[in-house]
Amino acid sequence: NAGVTQTPKFQVLKTGQSMTLQCAQDMNHEYMSWYRQDPGMGLRLIHYSVGAGITDQGEVPNGYNVSRSTTEDFPLRLLSAAPSQTSVYFCASSYRREGTGELFFGEGSRLTVL
Amino acid sequence: DAKTTQPNSMESNEEEPVHLPCNHSTISGTDYIHWYRQLPSQGPEYVIHGLTSNVNNRMASLAIAEDRKSSTLILHRATLRDAAVYYCILRDFSTLGRLYFGRGTQLTVWP
């Protein structure tokens, strides 16, 4: 099992560019989510999904798009990058198991927008 | 969505017990209490979870108040490797909920 795999680990963008952060898990988890972490701010939820074809917004969804066409993958798209989106992004997944499902996190993707 | 309140920081000496508190006064009857920790430059990792009864595992113990409005993560003997940010979150029974991590508690362990 590879667990939760995020790519790329590092990325530098210019303002206005678009890109996709990839997240894949091989544990057949129904629940997947994206967080961003800024210094001193803890983890903030961007979007989450409870299964293929189902997504919903978290605390800070503006500027980000997601889709869930397969159980394994949950990409995060930045449509027009802004410096305020400079952050470390974490993907997480778990079973939808009556609230007991342990969250597994990826190693993070560090994004810098110039 | 129920949220939690934790102290910003705590300190401990190595090999001493550490009690990390968490308040969740608006917890619902179906919310599970989860604890995670984040080591420097890493993603968060699961520590322990519980519903009503106290729980023990190889990493820590979780003590849950009788009214469930607060809980305490107990590290029985802190090591330098336990220095991390600890997050207390609530996970709804249906698991359809948003999982809010907040800022957590920064634990410093002194040698």
Side-chain angles (χ1 to χ4, degrees):
Chain A
N1 275 357
V4 179
T5 302
Q6 291 183 232
T7 56
K9 287 185 169 48
F10 300 93
Q11 183 72 49
V12 179
L13 290 178
K14 294 181 180 178
T15 297
Q17 287 185 317
S18 62
M19 77 156 299
T20 299
L21 298 176
Q22 302 290 347
C23 177
Q25 51 88 12
D26 59 358
M27 299 172 281
N28 201 31
H29 285 169
E30 301 94 329
Y31 183 92
M32 296 186 73
S33 55
W34 277 101
Y35 292 86
R36 62 176 287 173
Q37 186 169 39
D38 304 314
M41 293 295 293
L43 291 160
R44 291 186 292 171
L45 181 66
I46 305 172
H47 286 284
Y48 67 97
S49 168
V50 296
I54 306 170
T55 64
D56 205 349
Q57 297 180 351
E59 302 172 83
V60 288
N62 292 340
Y64 306 95
N65 269 4
V66 293
S67 60
R68 186 93 180 271
S69 56
T70 67
T71 299
E72 295 77 18
D73 301 299
F74 190 45
L76 179 71
R77 298 181 185 85
L78 283 70
L79 304 177
S80 178
S84 60
Q85 294 178 303
T86 294
S87 188
V88 181
Y89 292 84
F90 289 100
C91 178
S93 72
S94 80
Y95 288 112
R96 263 186 73 177
R97 191 182 290 165
E98 301 156 346
T100 63
E102 170 188 346
L103 276 171
F104 292 83
F105 283 82
E107 294 182 350
S109 297
R110 185 176 296 274
L111 175 67
T112 300
V113 183
L114 302 175
Chain B
D1 300 310
K3 295 190 179 180
T4 62
T5 303
Q6 298 176 254
N8 290 335
S9 62
M10 292 187 66
E11 297 183 358
S12 174
N13 294 318
E14 203 174 8
E15 299 191 3
E16 290 185 353
V18 180
H19 291 233
L20 298 166
C22 181
N23 287 323
H24 27 79
S25 58
T26 60
I27 190 171
S28 74
T30 54
D31 281 331
Y32 283 77
I33 302 161
H34 284 237
W35 282 82
Y36 289 79
R37 73 178 186 180
Q38 186 175 21
L39 302 172
S41 301
Q42 295 187 23
E45 63 176 351
Y46 168 83
V47 177
I48 200 167
H49 78 271
L51 182 62
T52 57
S53 303
N54 295 344
V55 184
N56 300 299
N57 66 20
R58 64 176 179 81
M59 290 181 69
S61 295
L62 176 60
I64 301 172
E66 195 169 339
D67 63 6
R68 300 208 328 125
K69 293 185 176 181
S70 65
S71 61
T72 302
L73 179 71
I74 302 166
L75 307 179
H76 295 286
R77 290 183 64 194
T79 69
L80 297 178
R81 293 175 59 183
D82 291 324
V85 178
Y86 287 80
Y87 299 96
C88 165
I89 70 169
L90 300 180
R91 184 131 208 216
D92 184 77
F93 180 82
S94 70
T95 72
L96 295 178
R98 305 172 181 185
L99 304 181
Y100 294 107
F101 274 74
R103 302 187 183 190
T105 297
Q106 173 69 63
L107 175 65
T108 300
V109 180
W110 299 104

